[in-house]
Amino acid sequence: MDHRDAGPSAATPLYLQPDAPLDARVDDLVSRLTLEEKLSQLVHDSAEIERLGIPKYNWWNESLHGVARAGTATVFPQAIGLAATFSPERLHEVASAIADEGRAKHHEFVRQGDRGTYKGLTFWAPNVNLFRDPRWGRGHETYGEDPYLTSRLGVAYVRGLQGDDPRYLKAAATPKHFAVHSGPEADRHSFDSIVGPKDLRETYLPAFRACVVEGKAVSVMGAYNRVNGEPCCGSKTLLTDILRGEWGFDGYVVSDCGAIEDFHEHHRVTATAFESAAMALNNGCELNCGSMFRHLPEAMKAGLVSEETVTEAVRRLFKVRFRLGQFDPDERVPYASIPYEVVDSEEHRALNVQAARESIVLLKNENGLLPLSPGLRSIAVIGPNADDRDVLMGNYHGTASKPVTLVEGVRAAVSPATRVYYAKGCDLINKQGNDQITRGDRFLFSEAISAAERADAVVLCLGLSPRIEGEQGDAFNSEAAGDKVRLDLPSVQQKLMEELHALGKPIVLVLLNGSAVSVNWADEHIPAIVEAWYPGGEGGTAVADVLFGRHNPAGRLPVTFVRSLDDLPPFDDYAMKGRTYRYLEREPLYPFGYGLSYTSFAYSGLTLSAEAVEAGEPIEVGVTVTNAGGLAGDEVVQLYVERPDATVPVPRAELRGVSRIGLAPGESRTVTFALDAEALSIVGADGERRLEPGTFRVHVGGRQPDERSRALTGTETLAASFRVAGGPIRLAP
């Protein structure tokens, strides 16, 4: 707000005194509001209260991988690509840059008198739902399938976005969608996610807990679905007992948009709109994205909601607005001076290129086909994703001012003497929407074949698109309301790949997609495969840097690429048995944590700080990593814990440490991990987390300790065992 900092006086209300205690300021402001004014603040487009100098405020803004939907901004790789960096440090840097741009844009919008949607400082990100099933269309918004990795990345994002000032927030982060939410999209407004206590505490809640307890997120968004019968945005179990009671959350909860209406329209747990509004507010949802809280006067008239409950909700909301500096002079708020020129700046573009490079996963490189020589006589860039800007962006994105598609990236990377042929080759999907290949589907094949015949190498850009996988209503070419019904490439793309392969040319397959694809045929026949995800506005540059050796790839898969849907349980089954690398029962095509490099790394000197510890004592694991090849590169050091004598079913091995390090040829570095009681704990059938005495085995390497990863990489992991004595110890839930 544009208040003058003249210092406190008898005429200055307490809430406008910047040096007064925060809670006292909040209480003073809320005490001045009428009931009608309080109710006007509980919806996402909260009203202006002119008599108190409170401007209207729209709480809805998006920043999944960049400031979204409000014009030009740096568009970083989609969240699943950022997860593939396996680098919380990089994600923290990206989130901080996003917050800088959000701050700069917000203050400029306010200067222009624009306080509309997507213009505020309360961002509805990150999405820390677990990507438990590759059919889910929104999985590319997440950080993958592992609770530990998602937790580390989620905390890094929240801290980067909210900043480190002791008084003010740079922006407000909102981990979503709380909780147990990952499809099916078509049923999300009515679906009941049935989940047992063990899976709930072991898999679905840890990332939310980490974002709240460690990251200090000031808001949380509820999910559309029910969990064990309770609608998430009105769940006493989730919002009151767990979020506030167990985790000590003191921020506010916002409903997903339209979710409260679902209580009576689809879940049928209430009969009327005012009953739905009462259920949400009474159980801990303070802010309604939608219009159902406009029925709260009816609920109060019926005796279902007290004014005290309304007051406490308003208090929680205003506390965040005060921490954002909205009632202080700009000169008192350090983030208010971030210049507009930071938006889409050269510094942020460079960070974007680096993040995109680090997200790329090399899946196959037979006979060292990659990196290609930039001095090739000719190269053909072919495929429906080769010159498509949509596949750079993913969803929930801003406008990239200078997007670089893959073919543009290749053109910029090669020698001026190199001829670059481009052909689309085919459409993204079959014209009939099924496996039948029509004459119309083959219309572009001949141009692609002609280009490939004239090239020394082919870069084939296939995969999916946000038009195929995404949120219900957005992915308009999806066969299942945004979800997938198959994991193979669309058959027209598969056919094009087979016909190009028959030419005998060296082919590099570049996949652009946000979820696992079953490219079994390509794995058998195509010599080099690169996973590029939805790589952001600088995606073409980053991919070309990897293809031509200007960057040594080190990304790792944050999701398992299974061979077939037959390897998975039913989509609507939320039990974790048979899902993700932690409980998978069949050998995958490409495992979680897998990725190749242009160099090689050697591991040695695995050490434990003790061979036995008392329950509750930490243990340190150290290992020396050496770049044994001829190129500089990053290595993603991964630590997995195995519990061979656990008294309950546990993951066969579980990621519990990750460190991405850069090494020059011949350089060595010692990496140390600390394992505390939580890292060694298990979750029982009753949902209780505890540390049991017994034997623990750690595995450290550039991959997970499974046979498929061993076969693909030709590397070994190091292993050591230790014992924990005493206990068991019950840990905080």
Side-chain angles (χ1 to χ4, degrees):
M1 297 184 67
D2 188 20
H3 297 293
R4 294 285 179 255
D5 188 10
S9 70
T12 305
L14 181 63
Y15 74 90
L16 292 180
Q17 297 179 25
D19 293 321
L22 173 62
D23 287 335
R25 297 180 69 192
V26 174
D27 290 340
D28 179 64
L29 177 59
V30 173
S31 71
R32 298 169 185 269
L33 300 175
T34 67
L35 175 59
E36 182 181 2
E37 289 170 338
K38 291 174 186 176
L39 292 171
S40 75
Q41 301 302 298
L42 299 182
V43 289
H44 74 273
D45 52 341
S46 62
E48 178 185 16
I49 304 176
E50 186 175 3
R51 69 182 183 87
L52 295 175
I54 301 173
K56 67 178 181 178
Y57 183 70
N58 196 301
W59 294 79
W60 187 350
N61 208 344
E62 304 284 356
S63 65
L64 182 65
H65 55 119
V67 180
R69 299 177 173 178
T72 298
T74 304
V75 182
F76 291 95
Q78 177 62 300
I80 195 70
L82 293 170
T85 68
F86 270 56
S87 175
E89 296 79 10
R90 182 64 72 203
L91 188 57
H92 182 278
E93 190 177 3
V94 166
S96 181
I98 292 170
D100 284 349
E101 295 198 9
R103 265 286 174 178
K105 291 173 77 71
H106 166 76
H107 289 289
E108 185 63 19
F109 290 139
V110 168
R111 191 180 71 82
Q112 299 285 354
D114 186 351
R115 298 180 183 270
T117 312
Y118 311 131
K119 307 296 174 63
L121 292 170
T122 42
F123 292 99
W124 294 351
N127 185 337
V128 293
N129 292 129
L130 262 289
F131 198 178
R132 66 180 178 94
D133 191 298
R135 284 166 283 204
W136 186 35
R138 298 189 71 178
H140 57 96
E141 298 178 28
T142 77
Y143 299 135
E145 69 182 38
D146 180 67
Y148 174 83
L149 181 65
T150 298
S151 296
R152 295 305 93 211
L153 295 173
V155 169
Y157 180 96
V158 169
R159 288 175 172 169
L161 196 78
Q162 294 191 166
D164 56 8
D165 187 87
R167 177 186 292 263
Y168 295 104
L169 295 166
K170 188 188 292 190
T174 308
K176 63 183 185 182
H177 310 83
F178 191 58
V180 197
H181 176 80
S182 53
E185 278 293 295
D187 302 325
R188 67 181 183 173
H189 295 283
S190 59
F191 188 71
D192 190 4
S193 303
I194 304 299
V195 61
K198 176 179 173 62
D199 285 335
L200 179 67
R201 299 290 185 162
E202 183 180 77
T203 296
Y204 293 108
L205 295 188
F208 286 100
R209 182 182 185 276
C211 287
V212 167
V213 175
E214 295 180 56
K216 306 299 182 185
V218 296
S219 61
V220 169
M221 174 179 277
Y224 283 117
N225 52 281
R226 281 171 285 157
V227 172
N228 298 331
E230 293 181 287
C232 292
C233 292
S235 169
K236 178 181 181 297
T237 301
L238 290 175
L239 304 183
T240 301
D241 299 343
I242 295 176
L243 183 61
R244 298 195 186 280
E246 295 180 9
W247 300 347
F249 178 67
D250 65 353
Y252 69 89
V253 173
V254 58
S255 73
D256 207 340
C257 298
I260 297 174
E261 182 179 349
D262 291 339
F263 292 8
H264 57 277
E265 292 285 343
H266 303 293
H267 295 306
R268 305 299 176 100
V269 297
T270 57
T272 65
F274 71 83
E275 289 175 313
S276 296
M279 183 181 194
L281 187 66
N282 286 334
N283 286 318
C285 179
E286 287 81 19
L287 185 66
N288 175 206
C289 180
S291 59
M292 286 300 100
F293 275 7
R294 303 192 191 281
H295 295 276
L296 283 173
E298 299 170 67
M300 297 184 75
K301 185 176 181 180
L304 298 180
V305 174
S306 69
E307 184 169 354
E308 290 75 18
T309 300
V310 172
T311 299
E312 180 57 27
V314 173
R315 186 184 183 283
R316 287 172 175 159
L317 292 170
F318 272 113
K319 187 171 183 177
V320 171
R321 292 186 67 175
F322 272 96
R323 292 189 64 194
L324 288 167
Q326 294 183 3
F327 295 91
D328 292 352
D330 282 352
E331 57 267 23
R332 295 290 296 262
V333 183
Y335 303 123
S337 61
I338 295 174
Y340 184 75
E341 286 70 22
V342 76
V343 177
D344 194 39
S345 63
E346 288 302 315
E347 180 183 4
H348 286 183
R349 290 177 68 88
L351 174 62
N352 196 8
V353 172
Q354 188 63 18
R357 288 169 177 156
E358 293 175 358
S359 73
I360 294 170
V361 184
L362 180 60
L363 297 176
K364 185 180 179 183
N365 192 21
E366 191 174 276
N367 299 321
L369 175 58
L370 291 175
L372 299 171
S373 168
L376 287 171
R377 180 182 59 84
S378 59
I379 188 169
V381 183
I382 296 170
N385 284 345
D387 197 29
D388 189 304
R389 294 184 176 184
D390 284 351
V391 299
L392 301 178
M393 305 304 173
N395 68 353
Y396 285 94
H397 60 83
T399 302
S401 63
K402 302 174 185 176
V404 183
T405 65
L406 268 64
V407 68
E408 291 169 341
V410 169
R411 286 177 180 141
V414 297
S415 161
T418 300
R419 174 70 183 269
V420 178
Y421 295 96
Y422 163 69
K424 184 177 179 180
C426 67
D427 290 327
L428 187 68
I429 58 175
N430 303 48
K431 295 185 182 300
Q432 299 298 324
N434 54 36
D435 289 337
Q436 181 181 358
I437 306 294
T438 67
R439 179 176 296 180
D441 290 320
R442 297 183 58 90
F443 179 76
L444 299 173
F445 276 30
S446 58
E447 182 185 31
I449 291 171
S450 295
E453 287 176 336
R454 289 161 172 77
D456 295 330
V458 175
V459 175
L460 181 58
C461 306
L462 305 179
L464 306 177
S465 163
R467 299 191 297 272
I468 293 178
E469 56 178 353
E471 188 169 4
Q472 183 188 56
D474 289 345
F476 50 84
N477 281 332
S478 166
E479 298 177 86
D483 294 328
K484 299 189 299 183
V485 298
R486 68 194 75 201
L487 300 184
D488 304 324
L489 291 174
S491 59
V492 65
Q493 295 188 40
Q494 177 67 31
K495 184 64 174 176
L496 174 66
M497 178 166 55
E498 292 176 9
E499 295 201 10
L500 292 173
H501 172 263
L503 301 176
K505 298 284 185 175
I507 296 179
V508 180
L509 172 61
V510 179
L511 295 170
L512 294 106
N513 46 284
S515 59
V517 285
S518 296
V519 286
N520 301 296
W521 187 93
D523 182 64
E524 294 178 6
H525 296 90
I526 302 300
I529 305 177
V530 171
E531 173 58 72
W533 313 107
Y534 300 134
E538 308 293 329
T541 299
V543 171
D545 285 347
V546 168
L547 295 181
F548 295 101
R550 288 201 294 263
H551 179 79
N552 190 348
R556 297 294 196 269
L557 293 181
V559 289
T560 302
F561 279 38
V562 298
R563 295 181 183 274
S564 168
L565 282 178
D566 294 338
D567 297 342
L568 297 172
F571 186 16
D572 58 3
D573 181 357
Y574 271 76
M576 289 306 297
K577 179 178 171 57
R579 294 193 183 281
T580 76
Y581 81 96
R582 296 159 64 238
Y583 287 107
L584 193 66
E585 296 170 350
R586 299 188 183 182
E587 183 182 78
L589 176 62
Y590 301 126
F592 171 90
Y594 166 68
L596 300 174
S597 172
Y598 294 154
T599 190
S600 60
F601 297 91
Y603 286 74
S604 62
L606 181 65
T607 61
L608 301 176
S609 60
E611 295 183 358
V613 295
E614 289 295 317
E617 292 181 356
I619 188 167
E620 286 193 352
V621 181
V623 68
T624 298
V625 185
T626 302
N627 185 340
L631 294 174
D634 287 359
E635 173 67 335
V636 176
V637 186
Q638 302 168 53
L639 181 149
Y640 292 82
V641 173
E642 183 184 3
R643 304 168 186 85
D645 57 1
T647 61
V648 298
V650 294
R652 54 182 182 79
E654 192 166 22
L655 183 69
R656 285 298 181 179
V658 62
S659 179
R660 183 166 178 149
I661 59 173
L663 295 173
E667 182 182 2
S668 297
R669 187 178 306 176
T670 297
V671 177
T672 302
F673 299 99
L675 297 175
D676 59 13
E678 183 171 345
L680 302 176
S681 65
I682 62 172
V683 177
D686 57 359
E688 181 181 280
R689 183 175 290 277
R690 58 185 181 268
L691 175 60
E692 290 186 343
T695 299
F696 293 76
R697 190 165 178 82
V698 294
H699 302 264
V700 182
R703 58 173 179 83
Q704 63 161 300
D706 68 303
E707 285 304 311
R708 179 60 176 163
S709 296
R710 181 175 183 270
L712 287 168
T713 64
T715 64
E716 301 291 342
T717 59
L718 301 183
S721 297
F722 63 93
R723 290 192 58 78
V724 172
I729 297 176
R730 185 179 184 276
L731 302 180

